[in-house]
Amino acid sequence: MTDDLSPRTRLVHEGVRRSQFNEMSEAIFLTQGFAYPSAEAAAARFTGEDPGFVYARYGNPTVAMFEDRIAGLEGAQAAFATASGMAAVHAALMCQLRAGDHVVAARALFGSCLWIVETLLPRFGVSVDFVDGPDLDQWRAAIRPTTKLVFFESPSNPTLELVDIAAVADIAHGVGARVVIDNVFATPMFQRPLALGADVVVYSATKYIDGQGRCLGGVVLGSERFVRDELEPFMKHTGGAMSPFTAWVMLKGLETLPLRCAAQAESAARIADALADHPKIGRLLYPGRPDHPQHALAARQMSAGGAIVAFDVTGGQAGAFRFLNALRLVLISNNLGDAKSIATHPATTTHQRLTEEARAALGITQGLIRLSVGLEDADDLLRDLRRALSTV
Ligand SMILES: *Cc1c(COP(=O)(O)O)cnc(C)c1O
């Protein structure tokens, strides 16, 4: 599509491949294979002379519609869709690493991302150093000539720490290292990592791209050369492809992504402001508020604060559990980015595997609640949150 159309328009039309029936809504091409009109045509598909589809592990028309649509939104030359967010993270890292390479990662990572970097990579001879994401001096000290890539999330889960994407990209590029960023919390609507200097962006599409808690999915975006020459062979031969049905759900999710993200972020900002001085809440973290420790950076690299708010309920774990159990509208779960608002107690669920010291280093206290703000009316949510807080 032409670049002068706004993201909202492109998210409705980009990437459409219509069949001979000219269907309005995109078709689900639920097929693993493709019949060739002749033996010569089959041969041409395999040499790449004919760019058509070969096998759904390599590509499928519905999956390709999703890939083209999100690549257009992200401003990426190419995208490859995966079966889950973790398949995307795994492929984005493993497809470009070799034994002897060095990786620098921020300490505050989604649990399974941490497992890949901390436990899996060293098994294959990749050495890893962790840094505090916000501290640029630590990045400068850790990145060395053998560093092949750096990896981080911004904002991070669950304490919403930011990494200065442009500054870390400068340091990494100084030694020829690539920057891989997990952009799930910011969403493609509020942060554009490629424009800030990142080389590869990964998403768990399970979160805001689906946005209604239905399917697992993921996507990796980057340059045409990276996606075609490094990522695609890895994905083709290891089998983490997205299913056509999932791709259709995600494709339709993209049509409403700007509207949902805007509404959810607006509610999150309102809730953060309304609860910041609540007597039953200690620390409240939201990148869109001036009291966020990195507010200036948030204003520079994000266009809104996102839809996640984190806060400490007074009374430690007992206070947090009392609050959670008193909620009537907000659901207790570990997912995020759903239309339904979700409250999580990271210390006993998503981050229970960590030691108490590791949790303390990440700011994950026993009273910490991560709130993923959904599509409900913000006043209804606030009433529920305030009533639950009053029981603490
Ligand atoms: C959920 C999540 C993932 C993993 O995605 P799945 O789709 O669950 O595999 C990775 N990174 C972040 C930041 C996430 O929130």
Side-chain angles (χ1 to χ4, degrees), residues 58-59 63-82 194 201 203 218-224 226-228 231-232 235:
Y58 301 8
V63 178
M65 288 193 251
F66 168 65
E67 291 167 339
D68 287 354
R69 194 168 285 183
I70 188 154
L73 172 65
E74 196 70 42
Q77 289 174 352
F80 202 102
T82 60
L194 297 176
V201 183
Y203 288 103
V219 62
V220 184
L221 301 113
S223 70
E224 184 75 26
F226 169 73
V227 172
R228 298 280 88 89
L231 179 67
E232 189 176 285
M235 287 303 302

Side-chain angles (χ1 to χ4, degrees), residues 28 59 75 117 125 139 174 176 234 303 349:
I28 308 179
V117 176
W139 286 102
F234 184 92
S303 56
T349 60

Side-chain angles (χ1 to χ4, degrees), residues 84-86 110 113 153 182 184-185 204 206-207 216-217 336:
S84 69
M86 286 322 303
F110 180 78
C113 297
E153 298 166 20
D182 180 333
V184 165
F185 272 51
S204 164
T206 313
K207 312 293 165 53
L216 276 178
L336 60 97

